């Protein structure tokens, strides 16, 4: 199949492509070059209405289709993503600024895995029955909700978009989905792939546009019964304020300020290798990155001696080059925000150990949004730098002396998404894991993902869980049926 990318992207509604009804467009910028590469619809409530009409028409057939039919179609989508790996990889990198090798090895393969995983979930999903001896039997029907909204961010564009869409479709729902307006292209291409895979018209509708115009219209629409959102805590708060009084089902995957706790007795080499990844992978723009590194005081100086030279080797460069370890930040706005955060850290008394500045790349990328990986020390747990999400290539270092102190530092923010623990003492690791306030804990590893496990945060990092049966349960309504003997 031919996956062309037009200058003006269009919405995917009822199995076809349409310009936005109000003909309003946003610029799409390549963050590595700073150049405008196209226009994307800034959709409005009118476009959402058209998508809802299409989804409503499609729902009776899709929701009652056999699980095998859903399996076949979703599995075909997974195959087509694989077959178009190169086109999707390039589109993702041009939109997001991440290195091509990263899109190629992680983002696009994972989008395909999401569809494959939930294709099989459609076949395996079962529900409970409960018997009261000699009295009654209950069974639980898990029925599709109807029309659901999926809204995703820019950091892992197709990866997180499909993480929501695939379970929603597998469970028999019709979907109105909106990718981030900053990284729309792979979502646009997914529409073409779904059409080719034989997904019936109207089952998946993909609308483009910004949060206030398109996103809020999705959240407000009375016939969209559930919202699955991944993005910032601020936008999550706004979405909850609209959806909660309408009693919509809500799944919110929000920001983080994750601790990475390093004990002196850890496997040092493995910890260093993974701490480089967890600090600066995707330019630090992964919600699971460990942005606060907490180090046992006895090895604090050794950590700096070993870690900083390695960070300094993470060269920023043209994302299309194999040799670039770090690409561009996703947008000018985000680039400026991260630079401001570094300035704030300095004002708060932080000492910059490396990085701390923008990087100019010669040639094609001379106007791109590059920042050198930055390590900061000398800041206490309560300053803004250690409290607020930066979501860029910036980490802070803090020493601790005891397990209690490590836990106090780890839990000292309003966030609670993920944490990493490095120690060879597995009892200590499990004790710390049990007391950490976060939805996900990695012991002696990072970003090791099994798609069956619950995924999500606590505190200001979110409400609800994605992944495996959690996602299938979110996208269905449980109805209990009781019969007396
Ligand atoms: P964002 O909140 O600005 O936008 C996310 C999505 O929501 C976009 O599609 C945007 O258009 C839309 N949106 C924004 N305001 C909206 C509104 N009022 N109503 C409806 N939709 C709205 O987030 P971002 O800058 O794209 O992404 C970065 C954030 O996402 C970071 O905070 C990061 O931690 C978070 N994130 C969390 C997870 C997780 O699993 N917890 C994963 C990835 C990213």
């Amino acid at each position: 199949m031919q996956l062309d990318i037009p200058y003006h992207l269009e919405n995917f509604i009822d199995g076809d492509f349409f310009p936005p009804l109000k003909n309003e467009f946003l610029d799409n910028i390549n963050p590595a070059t700073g150049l405008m590469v196209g226009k994307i619809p800034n959709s409005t409530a009118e476009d959402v209405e058209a998508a809802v009409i299409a989804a409503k028409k499609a729902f009776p057939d899709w929701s009652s289709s056999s699980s095998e039919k859903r399996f076949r179609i979703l599995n075909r989508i997974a195959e087509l993503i694989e077959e178009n790996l190169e086109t999707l990889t390039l589109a993702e990198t041009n939109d997001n600024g991440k290195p091509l090798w990263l899109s190629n090895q992680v983002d696009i393969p994972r989008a395909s895995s999401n569809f494959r995983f939930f294709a099989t979930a459609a076949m395996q999903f079962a529900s409970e029955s409960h018997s009261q001896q000699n009295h009654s039997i209950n069974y639980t029907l898990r029925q599709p909700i109807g029309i659901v909204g999926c809204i995703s961010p820019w950091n892992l564009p197709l990866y997180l978009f499909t993480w929501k869409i695939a379970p929603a479709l597998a469970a028999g729902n019709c979907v109105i989905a909106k990718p981030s307006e900053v990284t729309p292209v792979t979502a646009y291409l997914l529409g073409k792939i779904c059409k080719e895979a034989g997904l019936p018209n109207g089952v998946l509708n993909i609308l483009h546009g910004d949060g206030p115009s398109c996103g809020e219209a999705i959240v407000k629409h009375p016939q969209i019964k559930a919202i699955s959102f991944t993005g910032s805590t601020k936008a999550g708060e706004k979405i909850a304020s609209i959806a909660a009084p309408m009693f919509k089902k809500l799944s919110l995957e929000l920001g983080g300020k994750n601790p990475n706790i390093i004990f002196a007795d850890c496997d040092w080499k493995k910890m260093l290798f993974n701490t480089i990844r967890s600090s600066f992978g995707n330019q630090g723009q992964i919600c699971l990155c460990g942005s606060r590194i907490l180090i046992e005081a006895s090895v604090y100086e050794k950590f700096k001696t070993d870690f900083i030279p390695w960070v300094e080797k993470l060269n920023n460069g043209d994302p299309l080059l194999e040799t670039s370890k770090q690409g561009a930040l996703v947008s000018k706005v985000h680039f400026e925000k991260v630079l401001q955060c570094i300035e704030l850290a300095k004002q708060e008394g932080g000492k910059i150990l490396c990085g701390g500045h923008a990087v100019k790349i010669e040639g094609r990328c001379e106007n791109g949004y590059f920042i050198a990986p930055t390590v900061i020390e000398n800041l206490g747990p309560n300053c803004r730098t250690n409290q607020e999400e930066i979501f860029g290539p910036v980490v802070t270092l803090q020493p601790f002396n005891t397990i209690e102190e490590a836990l106090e530092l780890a839990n000292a923010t309003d966030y609670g998404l993920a944490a990493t623990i490095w120690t060879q003492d597995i009892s200590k690791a499990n004790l710390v894991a049990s007391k950490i306030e976060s939805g996900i804990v990695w012991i002696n590893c990072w970003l090791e993902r099994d798609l069956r496990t619950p995924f999500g945060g606590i505190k200001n990092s979110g409400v609800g869980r994605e992944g495996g049966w959690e996602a299938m349960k979110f996208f269905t309504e449980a109805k209990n049926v009781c019969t007396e003997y």
Side-chain angles (χ1 to χ4, degrees), residues 74-75 77-82 107-117 158 162:
L74 297 190
N75 201 39
I77 296 172
E79 285 170 358
L80 286 170
I81 291 174
E82 275 167 4
D107 289 73
I108 307 306
R110 173 57 194 275
S112 170
S113 301
N114 288 342
F115 270 104
R116 184 156 288 121
F117 177 84
L158 193 63
T162 54

Side-chain angles (χ1 to χ4, degrees), residues 152 154 178 181 215-216 229-232 235 253-255 287 389 455:
S152 61
W154 47 254
K178 188 191 94 59
E181 65 277 22
E216 282 190 29
F229 170 79
T230 299
S232 61
E253 300 293 339
L254 309 176
C287 54
E389 186 182 44
F455 180 93

Side-chain angles (χ1 to χ4, degrees), residues 77-99:
I77 296 172
E79 285 170 358
L80 286 170
I81 291 174
E82 275 167 4
E83 284 170 26
N84 291 284
L85 175 70
E86 276 180 28
T87 310
L88 291 164
T89 293
L90 185 60
E92 203 71 300
T93 283
N94 284 340
D95 250 9
N96 177 279
K98 65 179 71 195

